[in-house]
Amino acid sequence: MLTLRYDEPAPDWEGHVLPIGNGALGACVFGTLGTERVQLNEKSLWTGGPGSAEPGASGNWPEERPGALDAVRRMIDERGSASPEEVAGILGNPSYSTVGHIPGFGAYQNFGELLLDVTGGFSGGYRRTLDLETAVAAVTYEDADGVVLTREYFASYPANVIVGRLTAARPGRVGFTLRFGTAHPGGEEVTAEAGRLRVRGVLADNGLVYEGQVQVLTEGGTRTDEGDRVVVTGADSAVFVFSAGTDHAPVHPGYRGPDPAARVTAAVDAAARRPYGELRAEHEADHRALFGRVRLDLGQIMPDLPTDRLLAGYEGGASPSDKALETLYFQYGRYLLIASSRPGSLPANLQGVWNASNSPPWESDYHTNINLQMNYWPAEPANLAETAVPYQEFVAGLRAPGRETARSIFGTEGWVVHSNTNPFGFTGVHDWPTSFWMPDAAGWLVRQLYERYLFDGDEGYLRGHAYPAMREAAEFWLANLRPDVRDGSLVVSPAYSPEHGDFTAGAAMPQQIVRDLFACTAEAARTLGVDAEFAGRLRTAADRLDPGLRVGSWGQLQEWKADLDDPADRHRHVSQLYALHPGTQLTAPEHLAAARTTLEARGDGGTGWSMAWKVNFWARLKDGDRALSMLSGQLRSSTLPNLWDTHPPFQIDGNLGATAGVAEMLLQSHAGVVELLPALPSAWRAGSFDGLRARGGFTVGVTWTDGVPAEVRLTSARGGTARLRGPGFALDLETRAGESYALSPAR
Ligand code: FUC
């Protein structure tokens, strides 16, 4: 049973609400008695960007700074390092240091709340659930007379509406007043007409226009408009359909499109004409078509317990109820990705699509020094490729502003983005010393574009979408690598290891990212039969490039080119292991051993996403027990009652990264072979899964006992050889496109 369940209304937003969403729209269900709260989001409702009251929206240097970069490089050449504060003083744009935020960057906004003052009272029987298989949230309880009342909510992607329905076990018992709880007082107008609330506003900061409409429909009883609210009395049941939009458009440089009113009206009109059952059936079919692709059975038995108690009682052992939480958590990550990322909208941000604040942590933005990328780690392996389309389009959309930043700050071709970005193409810099600089982020972002091709083999996508972005990111580095004054190898300088240490030349992560970028880009050019000369230049540069893989004095993988690592360092970013995961270039036995030493030293703590990353690291090191103990640690210390990951505060990357980690424990395919059960923990001795994807166009299922595959099921999308490897066997299976195979390797 893949259901989150609670015996109480959400006492507050973070950690207790039940999230539903269709990518563009999100809603958080409180399930409160008396006044029900359904908090709303529209993913493009952002302050900042063009039109913002604050200047500096791109992060590019407002003036030319001839020689600034070279001055920093010289400082590093002479002294070996430069402090983040020094470098931010030379290369940054004064922002954090002067006003405490990035001028013009903006923040993701709360859309407001639907408030339903429900009549009838309460006498008991309360339950609040979120069914991951149908993507329906529900609240049931008995009113003062013991009549069972039910509320149901879902976010339909095909209809682009959020739908709620209130029913009662006895006719005439549904009554409520629906009103809008503003998050932007003074900036909007709310009207009610013919059972429809209309909210229209303009953000004071940047003039962004937004609109939301909610239509109330009733069976029986009466429905009346009263000013800015709709009142329902004595109904048998009632339905509301909500939609919203803004005039944001993902188009550089203006980032504005048509007024949302017509679109919102059309969506609400269309949904309001259809029977509830039909809307719900369409939603359920749409959701199941994605969610239902992966099944995971570890021998779990879901106890009859609310999810918060299940979580509180979790021991990280091998009990069927611990496994119930582990499988639920894995599938919840898939649910959250579907709900927060569907084609036609922005990608999932730091909180997916859910945000109840106008000044959320880190602006609820797109952090590109790991967080945005991590959000999409599960998309391909956990069989949700469609959910990554917003990511792919977003990254493509960063090229135009990123090109301007490359010219402004570096004076070269190519495109860059640094540590964080927003829906308005912020690709430049601020001056928060520990996270303002990361020109290598683009290389990391495009690797994940290439991953899609590795999974599905779609050459049209590679040619038209991924490769141009990869090529332009690689061009940037061809123009920006420097010979190291010490050994002549090509290095990134200034180089920074995310949020850690000093600026140096040739830090491990940037070197590994650039090396990987050059390799993937050259390989893609070969696949496409294009740019032979350019690919040749990439290979030549790659030969001279410092690979960023060095074993240090205590056996660790060095984070910097000099041996500076402190064995007592517990920093959450383990950037020097990029080549282990998500990269693939850390394969030599001595490097694998060093990676293990580094992970041991960094310890099993960390913020939510850091622990999730470590699940993936240990899975790549083929240590299933350590991977599971990381996952258990995350469940015990970084998971809120509604199973949202907490950094703290709530941050969705940890959820999504952990789901990717579980997939990585069960199936890996980054090294040219399809590895079954590569990191199976001893606690998962028997089990089965279906629907995980491997590179090469394979969908794989395995049933195992005592850690050994008893049956392998494989469907091939494109044909070709599936080089299957697993405990005790190796088999090269010739496949045909569209065919399915079942094998019993043990026999
Ligand atoms: C990165 C991390 C922080 C936080 C922020 C949103 O900068 O280092 O821990 O997750 O992103």
Side-chain angles (χ1 to χ4, degrees), residues 248-270:
H248 173 268
V251 185
H252 184 71
Y255 294 97
R256 286 295 188 283
D259 187 282
R263 258 181 305 136
V264 173
T265 305
V268 174
D269 284 355

Side-chain angles (χ1 to χ4, degrees), residues 56-359:
S58 69
N60 295 337
W61 288 344
E63 73 296 313
E64 288 191 16
R65 298 186 194 171
L69 256 181
D70 280 332
V72 173
R73 286 178 179 135
R74 265 199 312 278
M75 225 150 102
I76 290 170
D77 288 347
E78 282 158 19
R79 301 180 349 213
S81 67
S83 77
E85 290 73 20
E86 276 176 298
V87 179
I90 302 170
L91 302 182
N93 280 319
S95 53
Y96 268 104
S97 59
T98 44
V99 288
H101 64 273
I102 310 170
F105 187 87
Y108 185 36
Q109 301 291 292
N110 182 2
F111 195 91
E113 293 187 7
L114 291 179
L115 299 171
L116 292 90
D117 305 315
V118 179
T119 58
F122 169 72
S123 65
Y126 186 91
R127 181 174 280 215
R128 188 166 58 104
T129 56
L130 176 63
D131 180 339
L132 305 186
E133 285 170 281
T134 57
V136 173
V139 178
T140 56
Y141 63 94
E142 289 162 25
D143 73 7
D145 299 328
V147 177
V148 176
L149 297 184
T150 304
R151 309 172 192 162
E152 242 178 33
Y153 306 96
F154 61 87
S156 165
Y157 175 67
N160 196 26
V161 286
I162 287 168
V163 184
R165 185 174 72 150
L166 292 87
T167 54
R170 236 186 266 161
R173 304 296 289 221
V174 172
F176 60 89
T177 298
L178 177 83
R179 56 198 167 91
F180 185 73
T182 186
H184 301 273
E188 61 201 15
E189 212 186 301
V190 184
T191 53
E193 197 189 329
R196 186 172 306 198
L197 277 191
R198 183 172 177 200
V199 184
R200 193 169 162 87
V202 177
L203 292 181
D205 171 65
N206 59 4
L208 195 88
V209 176
Y210 61 98
E211 170 139 355
Q213 294 181 24
V214 54
Q215 176 69 49
V216 178
L217 303 154
T218 49
E219 271 180 34
T222 59
R223 185 196 72 193
T224 45
D225 308 324
E226 285 184 11
D228 58 359
R229 48 196 68 187
V230 176
V231 181
V232 172
T233 52
D236 302 335
S237 70
V239 169
F240 67 78
V241 289
F242 169 84
S243 196
T246 76
D247 68 350
H248 173 268
V251 185
H252 184 71
Y255 294 97
R256 286 295 188 283
D259 187 282
R263 258 181 305 136
V264 173
T265 305
V268 174
D269 284 355
R273 274 195 297 271
R274 299 170 64 193
Y276 174 82
E278 186 185 308
L279 279 175
R280 194 188 139 141
E282 177 189 59
H283 155 71
E284 205 178 307
D286 167 71
H287 177 76
R288 279 185 191 276
L290 293 167
F291 186 81
R293 288 173 185 166
V294 175
R295 198 185 51 76
L296 175 59
D297 179 0
L298 301 174
Q300 66 269 24
I301 299 171
M302 183 57 85
D304 185 17
L305 273 183
T307 305
D308 43 355
R309 299 230 334 254
L310 179 71
L311 178 66
Y314 176 77
E315 287 180 336
S319 72
S321 63
D322 280 354
K323 289 174 184 168
L325 183 63
E326 288 154 7
T327 49
L328 184 67
Y329 189 70
F330 165 74
Q331 293 285 18
Y332 191 44
R334 298 184 64 248
Y335 168 89
L336 290 170
L337 185 59
I338 297 168
S340 63
S341 188
R342 299 294 296 273
S345 182
L346 293 161
N349 59 42
L350 283 172
Q351 297 180 178
V353 60
W354 302 284
N355 166 37
S357 165
N358 291 333
S359 50

